[in-house]
Amino acid sequence: MLLTLTTTHRPATDLGYLLVKHPDRIHEFDLPAGTAHVFYPEATDQRCTAALLVEVDPQRLGVGRGRRGRQTTTTESSTLGQYVNDRGYAASSLLSSALSTAFRSALRGASKDRPELAGTAIPLTVRVPVLRCRGGADLAVGMFAPLGWTVTATPLPLDEQHPEWGDSRYVDLCLTGTVRLADALNHLYVLLPVLDDAKHYWVAPDEIDKLLRAGAGWLADHPDRTLITRRYLAHRRALAGQALARLAELRLADVPAPDDSVDEATGPAGGDPRRASLAVRRREAVLAALAASGASRVLDLGCGGGALLTALLADRRYTEVVGVDVATQALTMAARRLRLDRLPQRQQDRVRLWQSALTYRDDRLRGYDAAVLMEVVEHLDPARLPALEDAVLGHARPGTVVVTTPNAEYNVRYEGLPAGRFRHPDHRFEWTRAEFAGWVDRVAAEHGYTATISGIGDHDPELGHPTQLAVLTATGRQETSR
């Protein structure tokens, strides 16, 4: 059972710091089902590969514990099945368990020696040469592609000497992309058991928390979140129902969308369902703008259920992260999503959640490096916009302000959205590109900012991007021009 992680980030051997495993050593870990080994087949400044090899002990694999602690055996452990199976050779849910043991710190995004790099997307290639995949290569692509990976899933033949026998249940999986290492490992931690669809350990209620923790920032927006949840929880209906209800709360808090609103997870008619959802791409664009600004103390204004806060807290460059929302229910959901009650004290010290109305001046919001208004302004009555402008740009005056809002012109691309209707019934308005540019130019001039405007999502040559993005920089700081 083998998995490799390769990077060409310079110096590539920094991968050892991120994994907390020295490239010059072989590392061993005892597992309930065998032994895991971590080693480096190659380690140069140009290219570094870490390999996770799991040796399965058939006797240890076949024996488990019942609900009351009594020794039991699985179907595979009975008679010859205990010794004749694919578990020592094909990647499965057992590999996910090995990941959590061998790369515990890396899964959390923690790196004492390279904290900034741990929060940075780097070029990565993940290879699982033999992966047990119930659903075939297409399912493997459907699981990973929406997360931004370029996926190659090659079915393995039952017998190379007899191609007429067809394909086996296994695929050779290769993922390439530029992502944070912690995100890559959490994707694997969740999706390997999903593709295997045969967990080999007791699935208890605490597995819900493990799933939501590893899926923070991506699972709620995944187009196949229902399938992922049910398979990860071994098709236990009660547990899957609880997990899906909590995911629904997170989605409602981030984009409060009743049944008759546009589902941005699927995109416009004719879009590729394997592409990352617009919500994910919007969040990534905002994070990139914040990173480019050099900010370390950030306000998320109108934070909702905390999707952006989760990503900010995972990045060590941000020394203080503040979520602000007028709704106490949204702040409660954000606290649950962040798992504030279980965070180490040093992490708790980095995050704050405040109730505040963005149309009133609040002295607590002054002096921050950056503020984000992500899909917020369109929820205000137009008559209240001047109050928001004064409170945020005039009174709080952060060094950088990042604003996103829908592009009304793009709405015709959404199937089922009637002409003249907004993407969400709570929207008070939606701007065209010219209207948004006019507003940005005016508020920047009135409050001493310079601004850049760009788009997020697939570009339409006639209608532009589905989401509009503005970055306003206070005069006297690093400035850019439109």
Side-chain angles (χ1 to χ4, degrees):
M1 192 182 303
L2 178 67
L3 177 147
T4 61
L5 296 162
T6 301
T7 186
T8 54
H9 166 81
R10 301 291 184 91
T13 48
D14 276 355
L15 182 63
Y17 290 107
L18 296 180
L19 294 173
V20 199
K21 303 290 178 292
H22 198 288
D24 290 343
R25 302 173 189 167
I26 297 176
H27 310 263
E28 292 189 359
F29 304 87
D30 188 52
L31 304 173
T35 305
H37 309 268
V38 177
F39 57 95
Y40 291 77
E42 58 180 341
T44 67
D45 285 349
Q46 292 74 37
R47 182 182 172 91
C48 186
T49 297
L52 174 62
L53 176 68
V54 180
E55 292 184 294
V56 174
D57 183 334
Q59 292 183 314
R60 292 164 68 181
L61 174 64
V63 178
R65 294 282 173 181
R67 289 189 182 188
R68 298 180 181 177
R70 296 177 298 178
Q71 195 173 67
T72 62
T73 57
T74 65
T75 302
E76 282 190 353
S77 68
S78 60
T79 61
L80 286 177
Q82 180 177 347
Y83 300 95
V84 183
N85 57 58
D86 62 0
R87 292 315 182 182
Y89 311 98
S92 64
S93 58
L94 297 175
L95 186 56
S96 175
S97 178
L99 279 171
S100 68
T101 299
F103 301 140
R104 189 178 305 275
S105 296
L107 275 161
R108 297 198 310 266
S111 174
K112 180 180 67 176
D113 298 299
R114 296 291 187 275
E116 291 187 0
L117 185 59
T120 302
I122 62 174
L124 283 173
T125 299
V126 179
R127 176 87 186 280
V128 186
V130 183
L131 171 64
R132 177 165 159 159
C133 185
R134 184 169 175 261
D138 289 343
L139 181 63
V141 173
M143 290 292 104
F144 286 100
L147 303 176
W149 292 101
T150 298
V151 186
T152 302
T154 305
L156 301 176
L158 276 172
D159 190 321
E160 293 181 353
Q161 303 301 318
H162 296 277
E164 69 275 10
W165 290 358
D167 295 329
S168 68
R169 70 180 70 178
Y170 309 101
V171 300
D172 179 350
L173 179 70
C174 182
L175 310 173
T176 57
T178 301
V179 297
R180 292 193 320 137
L181 177 65
D183 292 336
L185 293 176
N186 279 289
H187 296 164
L188 293 164
Y189 176 79
V190 172
L191 296 179
L192 289 177
V194 169
L195 294 174
D196 180 18
D197 199 23
K199 279 202 167 187
H200 290 269
Y201 52 86
W202 176 248
V203 178
D206 64 353
E207 290 293 316
I208 296 175
D209 290 332
K210 294 179 183 178
L211 171 63
L212 298 183
R213 182 170 59 248
W218 63 270
L219 180 56
D221 296 314
H222 198 291
D224 288 319
R225 57 189 169 274
T226 300
L227 175 64
I228 292 170
T229 301
R230 289 174 177 170
R231 283 196 174 194
Y232 183 88
L233 296 171
H235 299 278
R236 294 190 60 187
R237 290 187 177 181
L239 296 184
Q242 294 176 42
L244 288 169
R246 289 174 62 178
L247 285 172
E249 286 182 354
L250 295 174
R251 283 174 57 79
L252 287 171
D254 291 334
V255 182
D259 291 341
D260 59 342
S261 62
V262 172
D263 183 0
E264 292 183 334
T266 57
D272 185 350
R274 297 176 298 178
R275 294 290 301 275
S277 71
L278 182 57
V280 171
R281 297 165 76 179
R282 182 188 299 127
R283 201 154 52 237
E284 291 174 347
V286 169
L287 291 170
L290 289 173
S293 76
S296 60
R297 301 175 65 239
V298 178
L299 300 166
D300 183 5
L301 304 178
C303 65
L308 180 63
L309 292 174
T310 301
L312 290 171
L313 190 61
D315 192 331
R316 293 299 184 89
R317 82 182 78 199
Y318 303 113
T319 58
E320 184 178 353
V321 176
V322 180
V324 181
D325 205 287
V326 71
T328 56
Q329 182 183 12
L331 296 175
T332 299
M333 291 181 181
R336 180 187 298 173
R337 185 173 200 154
L338 292 165
R339 300 173 63 85
L340 279 181
D341 57 335
R342 300 187 185 183
L343 287 176
Q345 188 60 48
R346 65 181 182 279
Q347 291 285 73
Q348 291 187 29
D349 292 342
R350 293 174 55 218
V351 63
R352 292 169 177 77
L353 298 176
W354 293 338
Q355 183 183 17
S356 184
L358 302 182
T359 52
Y360 294 90
R361 293 188 172 194
D362 188 335
D363 289 340
R364 295 176 299 172
L365 306 184
R366 302 190 66 167
Y368 282 83
D369 299 327
V372 177
L373 290 163
M374 186 169 71
E375 306 301 284
V376 170
V377 295
E378 64 273 10
H379 290 271
L380 274 68
D381 289 319
R384 300 296 293 159
L385 279 177
L388 177 139
E389 297 161 13
D390 174 70
V392 175
L393 297 168
H395 186 71
R397 193 170 173 76
T400 299
V401 181
V402 182
V403 183
T404 75
T405 192
N407 169 18
E409 297 167 78
Y410 198 89
N411 288 354
V412 296
R413 293 290 184 254
Y414 287 100
E415 194 173 71
L417 183 63
R421 288 279 298 275
F422 297 145
R423 295 186 198 177
H424 187 276
D426 188 56
H427 287 182
R428 301 300 191 263
F429 63 87
E430 288 177 359
W431 279 321
T432 65
R433 287 170 290 174
E435 289 169 337
F436 181 59
W439 179 79
V440 170
D441 285 342
R442 179 181 61 78
V443 298
E446 289 180 0
H447 296 282
Y449 284 81
T450 58
T452 62
I453 294 178
S454 57
I456 303 169
D458 295 335
H459 180 261
D460 185 292
E462 296 180 4
L463 305 173
H465 298 84
T467 295
Q468 309 187 77
L469 170 72
V471 179
L472 293 88
T473 305
T475 303
R477 299 172 184 260
Q478 183 179 357
E479 298 182 5
T480 55
S481 59
R482 285 185 56 207

